[in-house]
């Protein structure tokens, strides 16, 4: 061989060893704004309107603006508490279903401009924006499509006004990270005094794709648009904050009505928790959940604020399953967060920091069964550099590589974090983790749908120094992160001041049904189902006449809606003959958020008998269901 040819090969070999041919992208890919959103992981949603002052969950649209006067309102206190919890963004509910606008809009008089707050010259959205920026948070807005106050609702004039409101919000409040659109639209409302039910064609009324969302795209191109089905992020299908164990970032939206588009409020939600493998669009799950049982503040929920450990579980099942966590915060009527909310957020932030600040895989080395073109660009060391987008990859024809990992020394851990370089798509179907123990490899854990972030929580901590990953994908996998952590202990507790209530074994429900005790057995998982035929109420008899101040209804917890009431009436009696109505209302949002519903009477009422009357039931028919009843005393 000629010397020149030999030299050519010598110089060519290093070039071959360090080839940098990236794998071809797989499936649909996230946009730039979606990548930024995935990196945020955590943000908050602030519900605060006249509904807060009415102690309701959904306002009817009939509240006098005069009641809206939060004398101690401090947006900085709220934003500071969110930041202390480790959250990266804040969303102001600029208008909820009651129609009251927190900014001085030109589209309606029903706003802060008509309230005594700041002498009618305030702009709460702007104050939230400023406080967010002052505390290092991204800012976003929520604009309810449903408006129970506006007399124009259901006409073209309202739809046009809604787009004007959206334009104002997209124009006057700086760079926004999200524009949030609820799926609830159409139904009972005040509507300027009409007090009626209005039905709209959800698939066409708002012209989402044609006229409404283009406003966001034009004025806020980096704002993530949220609705039931996207287009940028989807509802996870529940308000517990949990994505499914297998939850793909890709989705093929499905409409309730064949031939109609899937739009807010008109969506088949069966695939929202899980997404779709190889779905048509990149629409990851946003996992929304209130910090309290309800989205709005209620004094009787002060001891029901989620603890740091409960929030951490939500984090594992939202962010840890490839989605984002959106936590609802609810200021009190004075405009501040309650101390319990603030303390729990701070303790959650401390728990997050204590858990994830120490990566126990730092300093580890790894060896894969195959390395893409033997190139350093795709080497195993990229798994440990804390960069979401540097990654290990195998050759195109190696779909199931294994990676052996040697830790710097024995480590005790109970959390495993995996990430893919999602710039190249969601490629991994599943991963299996094995541990070297007693001179052999033993199964330790497994996971599906890795995506942006996958957190695997072990049943108990394990000590090990050597692990093996088995990757399974339809194309060459691109794993970007492997990390180990130990969940930090949190002993945070609230000082509970329990309300006085009748003992469960003293509650007698008058019924010939042998299963009636399931409604007062102190077990939320059991359900009493009955048929309300001629007797269209449930009657409760107390051991003696008591000063009763309230009743609570716990809906079934099995995710079914059969027999759940949407509206109710409560009556009391001393002798079981003469009855008086002491409460009427609706269980707002009970379909999506099936938590305990508290009915608080305006004053204490003497009662030996109580009737709970379902006025409207979500499912068709005469069936009624309840997990638990509770009766509260003065």
């Amino acid at each position: 061989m000629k010397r020149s040819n030999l030299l050519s090969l010598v110089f060519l070999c290093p070039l071959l060893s360090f080839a940098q041919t990236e794998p071809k992208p797989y499936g649909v890919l996230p946009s730039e704004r979606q990548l930024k959103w995935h990196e945020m992981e955590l943000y908050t949603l602030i519900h605060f309107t006249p509904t807060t002052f009415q102690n309701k969950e959904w306002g009817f649209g009939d509240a006098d603006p005069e009641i809206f006067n939060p004398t101690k309102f401090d947006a900085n206190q709220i934003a500071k508490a969110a930041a202390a919890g480790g959250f990266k963004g804040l969303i102001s509910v600029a208008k909820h279903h009651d129609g009251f606008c927190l900014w001085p809009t030109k589209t309606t008089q029903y706003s802060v401009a008509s309230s005594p707050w700041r002498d009618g010259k305030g702009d709460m959205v702007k104050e939230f924006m400023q406080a967010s920026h002052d505390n290092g948070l991204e800012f976003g807005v929520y604009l309810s499509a449903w408006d129970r106050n506006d007399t124009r609702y259901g006409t073209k004039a309202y739809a046009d006004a809604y787009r004007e409101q959206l334009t104002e919000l997209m124009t006057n409040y700086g760079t926004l990270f999200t524009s949030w659109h609820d799926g609830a639209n159409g139904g009972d409302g005040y509507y300027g005094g009409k007090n009626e039910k209005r039905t709209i064609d959800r698939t066409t009324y708002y012209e989402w794709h044609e006229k409404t969302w283009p406003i966001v795209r034009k004025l806020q191109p980096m704002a993530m648009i949220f609705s039931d089905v996207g287009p940028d992020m989807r509802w996870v299908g529940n308000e517990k904050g949990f994505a499914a164990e297998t939850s793909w970032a890709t989705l093929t939206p499905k409409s309730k009505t064949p031939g109609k588009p899937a739009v807010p409020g008109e969506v088949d939600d069966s695939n929202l928790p899980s997404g779709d493998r190889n779905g048509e669009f990149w629409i990851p799950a946003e996992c929304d959940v209130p910090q309290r049982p309800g989205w709005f503040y209620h004094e009787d929920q002060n001891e029901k604020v989620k603890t740091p450990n409960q929030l951490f579980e939500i984090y594992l099942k939202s962010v840890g399953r490839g989605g984002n966590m959106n936590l609802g915060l609810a200021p009190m009527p004075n405009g501040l967060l309650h101390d319990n909310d603030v303390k729990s957020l701070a303790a959650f932030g401390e728990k997050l920091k204590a858990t994830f600040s120490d990566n126990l895989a730092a300093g580890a080395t790894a060896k894969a069964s195959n390395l893409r073109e033997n190139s350093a660009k795709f080497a195993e060391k990229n798994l440990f550099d804390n960069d979401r987008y540097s990654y290990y990859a195998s050759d195109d024809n190696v779909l199931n590589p294994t990676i052996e990992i040697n830790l710097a020394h024995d480590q005790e851990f109970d959390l495993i974090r995996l990430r893919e370089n999602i710039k190249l798509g969601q490629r991994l179907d599943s991963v299996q983790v094995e541990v070297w123990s007693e001179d052999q490899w033993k199964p330790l854990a497994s996971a599906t749908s890795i995506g942006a972030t996958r957190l695997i929580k072990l049943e108990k901590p394990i000590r090990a120094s050597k692990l093996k990953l088995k990757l399974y994908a339809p194309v060459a996998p691109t794993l970007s992160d492997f990390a180990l952590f130990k969940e930090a202990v949190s002993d945070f507790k609230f000082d509970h001041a329990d309300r006085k209530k009748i003992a469960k074994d003293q509650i007698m429900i008058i019924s010939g049904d042998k299963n009636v005790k399931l409604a007062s057995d102190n077990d939320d998982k059991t359900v009493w189902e009955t048929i309300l035929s001629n007797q269209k109420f449930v009657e409760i008899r107390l051991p003696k006449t008591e000063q009763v101040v309230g009743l609570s209804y716990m809906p079934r917890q099995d995710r079914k809606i059969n027999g759940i009431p949407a509206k109710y009436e409560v009556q009391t009696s001393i002798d079981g003959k003469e009855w008086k109505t002491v409460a009427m209302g609706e269980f707002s949002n009970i379909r999506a958020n099936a938590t305990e519903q508290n009915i608080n009477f305006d004053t204490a009422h003497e009662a030996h008998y109580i009737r709970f009357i379902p006025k409207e039931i979500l499912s068709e028919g005469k069936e009624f269901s309840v997990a638990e009843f509770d009766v509260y005393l003065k």
Side-chain angles (χ1 to χ4, degrees):
M1 182 179 289
K2 293 183 179 180
R3 180 179 175 83
S4 60
N5 291 340
L6 182 61
L7 288 173
S8 296
L9 286 174
V10 169
F11 287 110
L12 183 59
C13 288
L15 292 174
L16 290 173
S17 298
F18 292 92
Q20 297 184 2
T21 308
E22 290 199 347
K24 292 181 180 179
Y26 176 75
V28 293
L29 304 179
S31 65
E32 183 182 352
R33 62 177 163 266
Q34 288 173 321
L35 288 171
K36 183 179 177 182
W37 175 85
H38 276 293
E39 293 165 15
M40 285 184 69
E41 295 190 346
L42 296 157
Y43 45 88
T44 59
L45 179 65
I46 317 299
H47 281 74
F48 190 57
T49 79
T51 304
T52 303
F53 296 81
Q54 294 177 306
N55 196 28
K56 292 182 177 180
E57 192 59 14
W58 278 4
F60 195 66
D62 59 351
D64 189 329
E66 284 292 322
I67 71 173
F68 190 79
N69 191 21
T71 55
K72 295 183 179 180
F73 176 73
D74 185 353
N76 188 69
Q77 186 248 13
I78 298 167
K80 184 178 179 181
F87 293 86
K88 301 298 189 297
L90 183 151
I91 305 171
S92 168
V93 176
K95 184 185 80 169
H96 200 246
H97 311 324
D98 64 345
F100 188 82
C101 296
L102 296 189
W103 79 103
T105 176
K106 297 177 181 178
T107 64
T108 177
Q109 296 298 311
Y110 200 56
S111 76
V112 288
S114 298
S115 78
W117 179 70
R118 303 279 195 260
D119 294 324
K121 299 176 182 178
D123 186 337
M124 191 168 283
V125 176
K126 184 165 287 185
E127 292 194 28
F128 273 128
M129 176 199 71
Q130 188 60 54
S132 297
H133 295 166
D134 290 347
N135 286 276
L137 302 176
E138 300 280 345
F139 183 62
V141 294
Y142 166 127
L143 183 65
S144 171
W146 188 19
D147 191 316
R148 303 176 91 176
N149 172 269
D150 201 315
T151 188
R152 299 170 294 180
Y153 185 77
T155 69
K156 181 180 181 299
Y158 171 76
D160 290 339
Y162 179 72
R163 283 187 281 273
E164 289 180 43
Q165 292 174 358
L166 185 62
T167 300
E168 290 177 356
L169 292 172
M170 295 297 108
T171 304
N172 300 323
Y173 297 95
T175 301
L176 304 176
F177 85 90
T178 188
S179 181
W180 214 97
H181 303 268
D182 201 298
N185 43 70
D188 293 340
Y190 177 68
Y191 303 129
K194 300 291 186 180
N195 293 310
E196 61 190 17
K197 184 173 184 177
R198 295 188 179 177
T199 304
I200 49 113
D201 183 345
R202 296 174 178 179
T203 63
T204 60
Y205 180 57
Y206 298 102
E207 297 181 275
W208 293 111
H209 296 281
E210 300 84 358
K211 293 184 178 180
T212 303
W213 286 334
I215 294 170
V216 181
R217 288 287 188 252
K218 178 182 178 181
L219 300 175
Q220 294 285 344
M222 288 299 289
M224 292 281 288
I225 298 176
F226 170 91
S227 81
D228 297 10
V229 287
D232 292 321
M233 53 180 169
R234 71 181 191 265
W235 182 45
V236 77
N238 64 72
E239 292 185 356
K240 297 181 183 297
F242 295 167
E245 176 68 30
T246 298
S247 183
W248 303 105
T250 55
L251 180 82
T252 301
K254 299 189 294 185
S255 175
K256 282 182 180 178
T257 308
K260 295 279 190 176
V263 296
E266 187 63 31
V267 58
D268 177 347
D269 62 7
S270 61
N271 62 339
L272 297 186
S274 63
D276 297 306
R277 183 54 164 146
N278 301 317
E280 292 182 20
F281 305 97
W282 189 279
I283 310 178
E286 183 203 77
C287 305
D288 58 328
V289 58
Q291 166 75 321
R292 294 160 165 260
W295 292 98
F296 283 88
Y297 176 83
H298 306 286
E299 186 177 5
D300 58 17
Q301 295 179 359
N302 287 344
E303 280 74 45
K304 296 180 180 180
V305 174
K306 289 179 176 62
T307 66
N309 286 335
Q310 290 173 313
L311 294 175
F312 191 79
E313 180 188 11
I314 295 168
Y315 179 85
L316 295 181
K317 294 178 179 178
S318 56
V319 176
R321 292 177 177 175
N324 274 14
M325 176 178 169
N326 182 5
L327 184 69
L329 302 182
M332 299 179 288
N334 67 6
L336 299 173
L337 290 180
H338 190 275
D339 282 349
N340 283 355
D341 303 65
V342 174
K343 291 175 182 177
S344 180
L345 287 170
F348 173 58
E350 291 168 3
K351 183 179 177 77
L352 279 179
K353 185 175 181 180
T355 298
F356 293 106
S357 61
D358 187 11
N359 181 359
L360 302 175
T365 58
K367 180 64 178 176
S369 60
N370 173 267
L371 177 61
R372 186 175 186 82
E373 298 178 344
N374 291 317
S375 171
K377 178 178 175 65
F378 310 111
E380 300 90 336
K381 62 181 175 59
N382 293 334
L383 299 175
F384 311 113
D385 65 359
N386 203 32
D387 184 337
R388 287 174 176 265
Y389 306 117
S390 68
Y391 58 97
Y392 157 78
S394 63
D395 287 320
D396 286 337
N397 62 343
V398 180
L399 309 183
N400 311 125
T402 60
I403 306 172
E404 290 191 17
I405 298 171
N406 289 284
L407 304 180
H409 53 81
D410 278 9
Q411 296 282 15
E412 185 176 81
F413 59 91
D414 57 7
L415 279 170
I416 303 170
R417 187 180 71 196
L418 301 167
R419 286 174 173 154
E420 294 184 71
N421 176 8
I422 58 174
K423 288 183 178 180
L424 295 172
Q426 191 166 17
R427 308 166 74 90
L428 281 162
D429 285 327
S430 64
V431 173
Q432 292 181 3
V433 186
E434 296 181 350
V435 60
W436 183 257
S437 176
E438 299 176 344
D439 297 323
Q440 61 180 318
W441 290 109
K442 295 183 177 181
L444 177 63
S446 63
T448 52
S449 62
I450 307 307
T453 298
R454 192 65 157 92
L455 293 168
I456 306 173
K457 181 69 165 66
L458 304 180
E459 291 184 4
K460 60 181 179 180
I462 186 174
R463 181 168 288 277
S465 61
K466 193 174 180 180
L467 299 162
K468 180 191 286 186
L469 299 181
K470 293 183 176 180
L471 310 181
Y472 299 89
V475 290
T478 57
L479 192 67
S480 69
D481 180 67
F482 175 85
L484 301 172
F485 305 97
K486 177 75 179 295
E487 181 181 348
V489 176
S490 173
D491 56 1
F492 180 91
K493 293 180 180 178
F494 295 115
D495 294 326
H496 287 282
D498 292 331
R499 300 168 67 195
K500 184 180 178 182
K501 61 183 179 182
I502 296 283
K504 288 296 182 78
D505 60 1
Q506 297 297 301
I507 294 177
M508 180 180 178
I509 299 176
I510 302 173
S511 171
D513 190 332
K514 63 180 180 180
N515 295 319
V516 68
K517 278 294 184 182
L518 296 177
S520 57
D521 62 354
N522 219 26
D523 185 352
D524 294 348
K525 296 181 178 63
T526 61
V527 182
W528 178 47
E529 296 177 292
T530 187
I531 300 296
L532 300 179
S533 52
N534 295 329
Q535 179 178 304
K536 299 184 183 300
F537 54 82
V538 177
E539 189 167 314
I540 299 171
R541 185 169 69 200
L542 308 181
K544 61 179 181 178
T545 299
E546 299 274 11
Q547 291 283 324
V548 179
V549 296
L551 179 75
S552 71
Y553 166 84
M554 174 66 80
R556 61 194 309 156
Q557 298 296 292
D558 55 8
R559 298 194 65 186
K560 298 178 181 178
I561 64 169
N562 305 58
I564 294 180
K567 296 182 179 179
Y568 65 85
E569 179 179 350
V570 178
Q571 297 177 345
T572 59
S573 173
I574 296 175
D575 59 7
K577 297 177 181 179
E578 298 289 330
W579 295 88
K580 64 178 177 180
T581 297
V582 296
M584 293 183 69
E586 63 180 5
F587 291 144
S588 307
N589 203 32
I590 196 170
R591 182 190 293 268
N593 191 20
T595 57
E596 183 181 42
Q597 307 292 309
N598 289 298
I599 304 169
N600 299 307
F601 305 160
D602 291 337
T603 186
H605 294 274
E606 283 195 337
H608 193 181
Y609 300 87
I610 301 172
R611 280 181 179 172
F612 179 81
I613 308 170
K615 305 294 287 186
E616 183 179 304
I617 292 178
L618 293 180
S619 56
E620 295 181 2
K622 299 178 180 179
E623 180 184 16
F624 169 76
S625 67
V626 57
E628 289 292 300
F629 276 122
D630 270 304
V631 178
Y632 293 94
L633 306 179
K634 184 176 179 181

